[in-house]
Amino acid sequence: MELWELLRVNAAVDVMLPLILIVFGICALAVIPRKPNWIMGYRTPLACKNQDTWVFAHKHFGKQMIMFGFVYVLLSIERVLLVDNGASSGMIGVVIAAQVLAVLLALIPTEIALRKEFDQNGNRRR
């Protein structure tokens, strides 16, 4: 397989990955595991404190994953266009770094929201 063909295959995969993130976000909103557990779901110490923090974390994280998934889609499309237009690998690297950052950023707002809404024991702040 030629390098150019390999880049096109990678670009196609880059468009599929954010769509998977969007599906995971929808699943996090629609299918919340019944009880906090360390096997499935959004599993951080505060999210697993009780049922209230568990549901809150899943709903918030699901929304974040959908939002950042769409950002990731836009960045992936940009990468596909850069590959198709023969852009330098340095520019493509910047786009890939932005994609990874978009995924990681979905975690941060959820943890901030959990800490604003709940104390360290999992009780809602009034």
Side-chain angles (χ1 to χ4, degrees):
M1 184 178 277
E2 252 181 58
L3 177 60
W4 192 250
E5 290 174 15
L6 185 61
L7 286 175
R8 285 183 186 271
V9 169
N10 286 340
V13 169
D14 280 343
V15 173
M16 288 173 28
L17 290 175
L19 296 177
I20 292 169
L21 292 175
I22 292 169
V23 169
F24 282 156
I26 292 168
C27 288
L29 288 170
V31 185
I32 299 171
R34 287 185 180 184
K35 296 179 184 177
N37 65 76
W38 291 99
I39 299 169
M40 185 175 132
Y42 185 87
R43 301 174 310 265
T44 62
L46 185 53
C48 291
K49 286 285 184 184
N50 58 46
Q51 187 67 23
D52 199 17
T53 58
W54 183 251
V55 171
F56 180 88
H58 278 81
K59 288 182 179 181
H60 194 278
F61 185 70
K63 292 173 188 173
Q64 294 298 311
M65 286 299 292
I66 292 168
M67 181 182 72
F68 283 109
F70 280 115
V71 170
Y72 193 178
V73 166
L74 296 175
L75 293 169
S76 296
I77 290 170
E78 180 66 22
R79 179 165 184 251
V80 170
L81 294 175
L82 289 171
V83 169
D84 285 345
N85 291 325
S88 70
S89 60
M91 184 59 188
I92 294 170
V94 169
V95 175
I96 293 171
Q99 291 171 340
V100 171
L101 184 62
V103 173
L104 293 176
L105 287 177
L107 298 171
I108 295 169
T110 302
E111 286 302 306
I112 291 170
L114 274 168
R115 281 167 177 72
K116 283 183 179 178
E117 188 71 21
F118 300 95
D119 64 18
Q120 69 268 14
N121 296 319
N123 301 315
R124 281 196 184 262
R125 297 181 191 272
R126 300 283 174 211

PDB file of all heavy atoms in Angstrom, residues 67-97:
ATOM      1  N   MET A  67     -20.852  16.829  22.506  1.00  0.00           N
ATOM      2  CA  MET A  67     -20.353  18.127  22.066  1.00  0.00           C
ATOM      3  C   MET A  67     -18.929  18.017  21.517  1.00  0.00           C
ATOM      4  O   MET A  67     -18.630  18.477  20.417  1.00  0.00           O
ATOM      5  CB  MET A  67     -20.393  19.141  23.210  1.00  0.00           C
ATOM      6  CG  MET A  67     -19.912  20.518  22.789  1.00  0.00           C
ATOM      7  SD  MET A  67     -19.905  21.681  24.156  1.00  0.00           S
ATOM      8  CE  MET A  67     -18.533  21.074  25.115  1.00  0.00           C
ATOM      9  N   PHE A  68     -18.031  17.380  22.287  1.00  0.00           N
ATOM     10  CA  PHE A  68     -16.656  17.257  21.831  1.00  0.00           C
ATOM     11  C   PHE A  68     -16.531  16.284  20.671  1.00  0.00           C
ATOM     12  O   PHE A  68     -15.627  16.402  19.851  1.00  0.00           O
ATOM     13  CB  PHE A  68     -15.730  16.877  22.989  1.00  0.00           C
ATOM     14  CG  PHE A  68     -15.425  18.037  23.885  1.00  0.00           C
ATOM     15  CD1 PHE A  68     -15.958  18.108  25.156  1.00  0.00           C
ATOM     16  CD2 PHE A  68     -14.621  19.077  23.442  1.00  0.00           C
ATOM     17  CE1 PHE A  68     -15.691  19.183  25.984  1.00  0.00           C
ATOM     18  CE2 PHE A  68     -14.343  20.157  24.265  1.00  0.00           C
ATOM     19  CZ  PHE A  68     -14.878  20.217  25.534  1.00  0.00           C
ATOM     20  N   GLY A  69     -17.453  15.322  20.574  1.00  0.00           N
ATOM     21  CA  GLY A  69     -17.479  14.442  19.408  1.00  0.00           C
ATOM     22  C   GLY A  69     -17.728  15.237  18.141  1.00  0.00           C
ATOM     23  O   GLY A  69     -17.096  15.001  17.104  1.00  0.00           O
ATOM     24  N   PHE A  70     -18.651  16.201  18.208  1.00  0.00           N
ATOM     25  CA  PHE A  70     -18.908  17.042  17.035  1.00  0.00           C
ATOM     26  C   PHE A  70     -17.699  17.916  16.711  1.00  0.00           C
ATOM     27  O   PHE A  70     -17.373  18.125  15.540  1.00  0.00           O
ATOM     28  CB  PHE A  70     -20.171  17.887  17.237  1.00  0.00           C
ATOM     29  CG  PHE A  70     -21.432  17.127  16.979  1.00  0.00           C
ATOM     30  CD1 PHE A  70     -22.324  16.887  18.004  1.00  0.00           C
ATOM     31  CD2 PHE A  70     -21.716  16.628  15.716  1.00  0.00           C
ATOM     32  CE1 PHE A  70     -23.488  16.168  17.776  1.00  0.00           C
ATOM     33  CE2 PHE A  70     -22.875  15.912  15.479  1.00  0.00           C
ATOM     34  CZ  PHE A  70     -23.765  15.677  16.510  1.00  0.00           C
ATOM     35  N   VAL A  71     -17.025  18.426  17.744  1.00  0.00           N
ATOM     36  CA  VAL A  71     -15.790  19.194  17.507  1.00  0.00           C
ATOM     37  C   VAL A  71     -14.760  18.292  16.829  1.00  0.00           C
ATOM     38  O   VAL A  71     -14.099  18.679  15.866  1.00  0.00           O
ATOM     39  CB  VAL A  71     -15.228  19.768  18.833  1.00  0.00           C
ATOM     40  CG1 VAL A  71     -13.836  20.337  18.639  1.00  0.00           C
ATOM     41  CG2 VAL A  71     -16.173  20.816  19.391  1.00  0.00           C
ATOM     42  N   TYR A  72     -14.655  17.072  17.325  1.00  0.00           N
ATOM     43  CA  TYR A  72     -13.724  16.087  16.780  1.00  0.00           C
ATOM     44  C   TYR A  72     -14.077  15.762  15.325  1.00  0.00           C
ATOM     45  O   TYR A  72     -13.205  15.599  14.476  1.00  0.00           O
ATOM     46  CB  TYR A  72     -13.770  14.854  17.675  1.00  0.00           C
ATOM     47  CG  TYR A  72     -12.682  13.830  17.504  1.00  0.00           C
ATOM     48  CD1 TYR A  72     -12.665  12.719  18.337  1.00  0.00           C
ATOM     49  CD2 TYR A  72     -11.696  13.921  16.549  1.00  0.00           C
ATOM     50  CE1 TYR A  72     -11.699  11.743  18.225  1.00  0.00           C
ATOM     51  CE2 TYR A  72     -10.723  12.950  16.432  1.00  0.00           C
ATOM     52  CZ  TYR A  72     -10.729  11.866  17.258  1.00  0.00           C
ATOM     53  OH  TYR A  72      -9.777  10.904  17.135  1.00  0.00           O
ATOM     54  N   VAL A  73     -15.378  15.692  15.004  1.00  0.00           N
ATOM     55  CA  VAL A  73     -15.799  15.459  13.616  1.00  0.00           C
ATOM     56  C   VAL A  73     -15.275  16.576  12.723  1.00  0.00           C
ATOM     57  O   VAL A  73     -14.708  16.328  11.651  1.00  0.00           O
ATOM     58  CB  VAL A  73     -17.332  15.359  13.484  1.00  0.00           C
ATOM     59  CG1 VAL A  73     -17.770  15.462  12.037  1.00  0.00           C
ATOM     60  CG2 VAL A  73     -17.838  14.057  14.077  1.00  0.00           C
ATOM     61  N   LEU A  74     -15.446  17.814  13.162  1.00  0.00           N
ATOM     62  CA  LEU A  74     -14.981  18.948  12.361  1.00  0.00           C
ATOM     63  C   LEU A  74     -13.473  18.907  12.169  1.00  0.00           C
ATOM     64  O   LEU A  74     -12.966  19.151  11.066  1.00  0.00           O
ATOM     65  CB  LEU A  74     -15.406  20.264  13.008  1.00  0.00           C
ATOM     66  CG  LEU A  74     -16.909  20.509  13.087  1.00  0.00           C
ATOM     67  CD1 LEU A  74     -17.194  21.789  13.865  1.00  0.00           C
ATOM     68  CD2 LEU A  74     -17.522  20.566  11.698  1.00  0.00           C
ATOM     69  N   LEU A  75     -12.754  18.577  13.229  1.00  0.00           N
ATOM     70  CA  LEU A  75     -11.300  18.482  13.116  1.00  0.00           C
ATOM     71  C   LEU A  75     -10.890  17.329  12.206  1.00  0.00           C
ATOM     72  O   LEU A  75      -9.917  17.435  11.456  1.00  0.00           O
ATOM     73  CB  LEU A  75     -10.666  18.325  14.498  1.00  0.00           C
ATOM     74  CG  LEU A  75     -10.795  19.530  15.418  1.00  0.00           C
ATOM     75  CD1 LEU A  75     -10.368  19.178  16.826  1.00  0.00           C
ATOM     76  CD2 LEU A  75     -10.005  20.706  14.879  1.00  0.00           C
ATOM     77  N   SER A  76     -11.626  16.246  12.251  1.00  0.00           N
ATOM     78  CA  SER A  76     -11.319  15.100  11.401  1.00  0.00           C
ATOM     79  C   SER A  76     -11.576  15.420   9.938  1.00  0.00           C
ATOM     80  O   SER A  76     -10.799  15.034   9.066  1.00  0.00           O
ATOM     81  CB  SER A  76     -12.148  13.885  11.818  1.00  0.00           C
ATOM     82  OG  SER A  76     -11.805  13.496  13.121  1.00  0.00           O
ATOM     83  N   ILE A  77     -12.666  16.112   9.676  1.00  0.00           N
ATOM     84  CA  ILE A  77     -12.948  16.507   8.299  1.00  0.00           C
ATOM     85  C   ILE A  77     -11.845  17.426   7.790  1.00  0.00           C
ATOM     86  O   ILE A  77     -11.382  17.297   6.658  1.00  0.00           O
ATOM     87  CB  ILE A  77     -14.344  17.170   8.198  1.00  0.00           C
ATOM     88  CG1 ILE A  77     -15.421  16.106   8.430  1.00  0.00           C
ATOM     89  CG2 ILE A  77     -14.531  17.855   6.847  1.00  0.00           C
ATOM     90  CD1 ILE A  77     -16.812  16.674   8.592  1.00  0.00           C
ATOM     91  N   GLU A  78     -11.393  18.318   8.662  1.00  0.00           N
ATOM     92  CA  GLU A  78     -10.281  19.207   8.289  1.00  0.00           C
ATOM     93  C   GLU A  78      -9.038  18.389   7.952  1.00  0.00           C
ATOM     94  O   GLU A  78      -8.336  18.669   6.989  1.00  0.00           O
ATOM     95  CB  GLU A  78      -9.993  20.187   9.423  1.00  0.00           C
ATOM     96  CG  GLU A  78      -8.864  21.141   9.124  1.00  0.00           C
ATOM     97  CD  GLU A  78      -9.171  22.109   8.000  1.00  0.00           C
ATOM     98  OE1 GLU A  78     -10.350  22.350   7.702  1.00  0.00           O
ATOM     99  OE2 GLU A  78      -8.213  22.635   7.410  1.00  0.00           O
ATOM    100  N   ARG A  79      -8.783  17.364   8.740  1.00  0.00           N
ATOM    101  CA  ARG A  79      -7.610  16.519   8.477  1.00  0.00           C
ATOM    102  C   ARG A  79      -7.754  15.813   7.134  1.00  0.00           C
ATOM    103  O   ARG A  79      -6.800  15.714   6.372  1.00  0.00           O
ATOM    104  CB  ARG A  79      -7.404  15.495   9.587  1.00  0.00           C
ATOM    105  CG  ARG A  79      -6.201  14.611   9.284  1.00  0.00           C
ATOM    106  CD  ARG A  79      -5.750  13.841  10.503  1.00  0.00           C
ATOM    107  NE  ARG A  79      -4.553  13.110  10.156  1.00  0.00           N
ATOM    108  CZ  ARG A  79      -4.494  11.794  10.015  1.00  0.00           C
ATOM    109  NH1 ARG A  79      -5.560  11.068  10.205  1.00  0.00           N
ATOM    110  NH2 ARG A  79      -3.371  11.205   9.702  1.00  0.00           N
ATOM    111  N   VAL A  80      -8.950  15.303   6.847  1.00  0.00           N
ATOM    112  CA  VAL A  80      -9.184  14.645   5.557  1.00  0.00           C
ATOM    113  C   VAL A  80      -8.919  15.624   4.433  1.00  0.00           C
ATOM    114  O   VAL A  80      -8.268  15.289   3.438  1.00  0.00           O
ATOM    115  CB  VAL A  80     -10.625  14.086   5.479  1.00  0.00           C
ATOM    116  CG1 VAL A  80     -10.949  13.620   4.069  1.00  0.00           C
ATOM    117  CG2 VAL A  80     -10.804  12.951   6.474  1.00  0.00           C
ATOM    118  N   LEU A  81      -9.394  16.850   4.580  1.00  0.00           N
ATOM    119  CA  LEU A  81      -9.168  17.850   3.530  1.00  0.00           C
ATOM    120  C   LEU A  81      -7.694  18.185   3.399  1.00  0.00           C
ATOM    121  O   LEU A  81      -7.186  18.382   2.292  1.00  0.00           O
ATOM    122  CB  LEU A  81      -9.976  19.117   3.834  1.00  0.00           C
ATOM    123  CG  LEU A  81     -11.500  18.952   3.773  1.00  0.00           C
ATOM    124  CD1 LEU A  81     -12.184  20.236   4.214  1.00  0.00           C
ATOM    125  CD2 LEU A  81     -11.955  18.535   2.390  1.00  0.00           C
ATOM    126  N   LEU A  82      -6.977  18.237   4.520  1.00  0.00           N
ATOM    127  CA  LEU A  82      -5.542  18.511   4.458  1.00  0.00           C
ATOM    128  C   LEU A  82      -4.803  17.391   3.738  1.00  0.00           C
ATOM    129  O   LEU A  82      -3.912  17.642   2.935  1.00  0.00           O
ATOM    130  CB  LEU A  82      -4.967  18.692   5.863  1.00  0.00           C
ATOM    131  CG  LEU A  82      -5.368  19.966   6.598  1.00  0.00           C
ATOM    132  CD1 LEU A  82      -4.895  19.903   8.044  1.00  0.00           C
ATOM    133  CD2 LEU A  82      -4.804  21.185   5.904  1.00  0.00           C
ATOM    134  N   VAL A  83      -5.172  16.141   4.024  1.00  0.00           N
ATOM    135  CA  VAL A  83      -4.532  15.001   3.352  1.00  0.00           C
ATOM    136  C   VAL A  83      -4.846  15.041   1.869  1.00  0.00           C
ATOM    137  O   VAL A  83      -3.972  14.858   1.024  1.00  0.00           O
ATOM    138  CB  VAL A  83      -4.986  13.663   3.982  1.00  0.00           C
ATOM    139  CG1 VAL A  83      -4.557  12.483   3.127  1.00  0.00           C
ATOM    140  CG2 VAL A  83      -4.408  13.525   5.378  1.00  0.00           C
ATOM    141  N   ASP A  84      -6.100  15.309   1.532  1.00  0.00           N
ATOM    142  CA  ASP A  84      -6.483  15.345   0.125  1.00  0.00           C
ATOM    143  C   ASP A  84      -5.795  16.464  -0.634  1.00  0.00           C
ATOM    144  O   ASP A  84      -5.552  16.360  -1.827  1.00  0.00           O
ATOM    145  CB  ASP A  84      -8.008  15.501  -0.016  1.00  0.00           C
ATOM    146  CG  ASP A  84      -8.737  14.199   0.290  1.00  0.00           C
ATOM    147  OD1 ASP A  84      -8.067  13.140   0.328  1.00  0.00           O
ATOM    148  OD2 ASP A  84      -9.952  14.241   0.502  1.00  0.00           O
ATOM    149  N   ASN A  85      -5.475  17.541   0.072  1.00  0.00           N
ATOM    150  CA  ASN A  85      -4.813  18.666  -0.586  1.00  0.00           C
ATOM    151  C   ASN A  85      -3.298  18.600  -0.463  1.00  0.00           C
ATOM    152  O   ASN A  85      -2.606  19.550  -0.801  1.00  0.00           O
ATOM    153  CB  ASN A  85      -5.330  19.993  -0.013  1.00  0.00           C
ATOM    154  CG  ASN A  85      -6.764  20.246  -0.396  1.00  0.00           C
ATOM    155  OD1 ASN A  85      -7.184  19.879  -1.493  1.00  0.00           O
ATOM    156  ND2 ASN A  85      -7.517  20.846   0.496  1.00  0.00           N
ATOM    157  N   GLY A  86      -2.782  17.507   0.081  1.00  0.00           N
ATOM    158  CA  GLY A  86      -1.336  17.316   0.166  1.00  0.00           C
ATOM    159  C   GLY A  86      -0.657  18.214   1.176  1.00  0.00           C
ATOM    160  O   GLY A  86       0.474  18.645   0.970  1.00  0.00           O
ATOM    161  N   ALA A  87      -1.312  18.495   2.298  1.00  0.00           N
ATOM    162  CA  ALA A  87      -0.716  19.360   3.328  1.00  0.00           C
ATOM    163  C   ALA A  87       0.477  18.665   3.964  1.00  0.00           C
ATOM    164  O   ALA A  87       0.620  17.457   3.934  1.00  0.00           O
ATOM    165  CB  ALA A  87      -1.758  19.684   4.396  1.00  0.00           C
ATOM    166  N   SER A  88       1.321  19.467   4.552  1.00  0.00           N
ATOM    167  CA  SER A  88       2.511  18.924   5.209  1.00  0.00           C
ATOM    168  C   SER A  88       2.115  18.088   6.413  1.00  0.00           C
ATOM    169  O   SER A  88       1.079  18.302   7.030  1.00  0.00           O
ATOM    170  CB  SER A  88       3.428  20.061   5.644  1.00  0.00           C
ATOM    171  OG  SER A  88       2.839  20.757   6.714  1.00  0.00           O
ATOM    172  N   SER A  89       2.966  17.140   6.772  1.00  0.00           N
ATOM    173  CA  SER A  89       2.672  16.283   7.908  1.00  0.00           C
ATOM    174  C   SER A  89       2.665  17.083   9.211  1.00  0.00           C
ATOM    175  O   SER A  89       2.007  16.706  10.164  1.00  0.00           O
ATOM    176  CB  SER A  89       3.680  15.142   7.990  1.00  0.00           C
ATOM    177  OG  SER A  89       4.979  15.662   8.135  1.00  0.00           O
ATOM    178  N   GLY A  90       3.378  18.216   9.266  1.00  0.00           N
ATOM    179  CA  GLY A  90       3.369  19.055  10.459  1.00  0.00           C
ATOM    180  C   GLY A  90       1.995  19.621  10.735  1.00  0.00           C
ATOM    181  O   GLY A  90       1.535  19.638  11.873  1.00  0.00           O
ATOM    182  N   MET A  91       1.310  20.078   9.701  1.00  0.00           N
ATOM    183  CA  MET A  91      -0.033  20.624   9.864  1.00  0.00           C
ATOM    184  C   MET A  91      -1.009  19.537  10.271  1.00  0.00           C
ATOM    185  O   MET A  91      -1.876  19.740  11.113  1.00  0.00           O
ATOM    186  CB  MET A  91      -0.494  21.305   8.569  1.00  0.00           C
ATOM    187  CG  MET A  91      -1.820  21.969   8.674  1.00  0.00           C
ATOM    188  SD  MET A  91      -1.795  23.226   9.964  1.00  0.00           S
ATOM    189  CE  MET A  91      -3.491  23.675  10.029  1.00  0.00           C
ATOM    190  N   ILE A  92      -0.855  18.361   9.687  1.00  0.00           N
ATOM    191  CA  ILE A  92      -1.724  17.247  10.046  1.00  0.00           C
ATOM    192  C   ILE A  92      -1.497  16.866  11.499  1.00  0.00           C
ATOM    193  O   ILE A  92      -2.438  16.566  12.233  1.00  0.00           O
ATOM    194  CB  ILE A  92      -1.490  16.051   9.092  1.00  0.00           C
ATOM    195  CG1 ILE A  92      -1.937  16.437   7.681  1.00  0.00           C
ATOM    196  CG2 ILE A  92      -2.224  14.809   9.580  1.00  0.00           C
ATOM    197  CD1 ILE A  92      -1.545  15.448   6.611  1.00  0.00           C
ATOM    198  N   GLY A  93      -0.249  16.926  11.969  1.00  0.00           N
ATOM    199  CA  GLY A  93       0.063  16.636  13.362  1.00  0.00           C
ATOM    200  C   GLY A  93      -0.629  17.592  14.309  1.00  0.00           C
ATOM    201  O   GLY A  93      -1.087  17.195  15.381  1.00  0.00           O
ATOM    202  N   VAL A  94      -0.726  18.859  13.923  1.00  0.00           N
ATOM    203  CA  VAL A  94      -1.419  19.855  14.750  1.00  0.00           C
ATOM    204  C   VAL A  94      -2.893  19.495  14.863  1.00  0.00           C
ATOM    205  O   VAL A  94      -3.489  19.565  15.947  1.00  0.00           O
ATOM    206  CB  VAL A  94      -1.248  21.273  14.154  1.00  0.00           C
ATOM    207  CG1 VAL A  94      -2.161  22.270  14.832  1.00  0.00           C
ATOM    208  CG2 VAL A  94       0.208  21.704  14.252  1.00  0.00           C
ATOM    209  N   VAL A  95      -3.493  19.081  13.765  1.00  0.00           N
ATOM    210  CA  VAL A  95      -4.909  18.711  13.780  1.00  0.00           C
ATOM    211  C   VAL A  95      -5.126  17.474  14.650  1.00  0.00           C
ATOM    212  O   VAL A  95      -6.071  17.409  15.441  1.00  0.00           O
ATOM    213  CB  VAL A  95      -5.439  18.485  12.345  1.00  0.00           C
ATOM    214  CG1 VAL A  95      -6.870  17.970  12.365  1.00  0.00           C
ATOM    215  CG2 VAL A  95      -5.353  19.780  11.549  1.00  0.00           C
ATOM    216  N   ILE A  96      -4.237  16.496  14.553  1.00  0.00           N
ATOM    217  CA  ILE A  96      -4.354  15.294  15.379  1.00  0.00           C
ATOM    218  C   ILE A  96      -4.241  15.661  16.859  1.00  0.00           C
ATOM    219  O   ILE A  96      -5.002  15.169  17.690  1.00  0.00           O
ATOM    220  CB  ILE A  96      -3.298  14.245  14.980  1.00  0.00           C
ATOM    221  CG1 ILE A  96      -3.600  13.718  13.575  1.00  0.00           C
ATOM    222  CG2 ILE A  96      -3.246  13.109  15.992  1.00  0.00           C
ATOM    223  CD1 ILE A  96      -2.499  12.855  13.003  1.00  0.00           C
ATOM    224  N   ALA A  97      -3.306  16.526  17.195  1.00  0.00           N
ATOM    225  CA  ALA A  97      -3.155  16.961  18.592  1.00  0.00           C
ATOM    226  C   ALA A  97      -4.421  17.659  19.080  1.00  0.00           C
ATOM    227  O   ALA A  97      -4.857  17.445  20.219  1.00  0.00           O
ATOM    228  CB  ALA A  97      -1.951  17.889  18.721  1.00  0.00           C
TER     229      ALA A  97
END
